[in-house]
């Protein structure tokens, strides 16, 4: 499903215009990105939790030369699906 299809599905489900659905989806994405970038968790019941995750520094390998390189520690976005979402996807 691409964004246009998502906008159409949300508009139909919520009985709102596609323009309003697009604004709502953009607003939700912006709010989640801002919160996670600020170091906070965002929990959406029935869907899951978006959170920042720490990756420690590690040694990697350059695939072209085989040379060992140091990869710096970083913070990355993470998502953990809610149990209800997992069960719906798996068909349980």
């Amino acid at each position: 499903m691409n964004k246009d299809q998502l906008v159409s599905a949300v508009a139909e489900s919520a009985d709102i215009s596609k323009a309003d659905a697009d604004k709502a989806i953009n607003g939700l994405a912006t709010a989640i990105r801002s919160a996670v970038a600020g170091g906070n968790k965002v929990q959406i019941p029935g869907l899951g939790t978006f959170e920042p995750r720490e990756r420690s520094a590690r040694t990697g390998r350059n695939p072209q030369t085989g040379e060992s390189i140091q990869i710096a520690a970083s913070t990355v976005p993470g998502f953990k699906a809610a149990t209800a979402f997992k069960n719906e996807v798996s068909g349980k």
Side-chain angles (χ1 to χ4, degrees):
M1 174 180 280
N2 63 32
K3 185 178 177 191
D4 288 338
Q5 293 167 329
L6 179 61
V7 168
S8 294
V10 169
E12 184 177 323
S13 175
D15 194 28
I16 58 176
S17 71
K18 285 185 180 181
D20 287 342
D22 186 51
K23 287 178 188 175
I25 291 169
N26 288 337
L28 175 66
T30 299
I32 291 171
R33 282 193 309 266
S34 295
V36 173
N40 300 305
K41 286 184 180 181
V42 177
Q43 294 178 319
I44 301 175
L47 181 62
T49 303
F50 296 88
E51 62 187 348
R53 293 190 180 152
E54 299 296 325
R55 281 197 182 159
S56 55
R58 61 197 186 279
T59 301
R61 192 165 300 279
N62 182 330
Q64 292 181 335
T65 65
E67 177 186 358
S68 291
I69 57 172
Q70 281 299 98
I71 300 171
S74 63
T75 303
V76 297
F79 175 76
K80 181 178 179 190
T83 303
F85 184 34
K86 288 182 194 177
N87 291 340
E88 188 171 337
V89 170
S90 68
K92 292 182 181 181

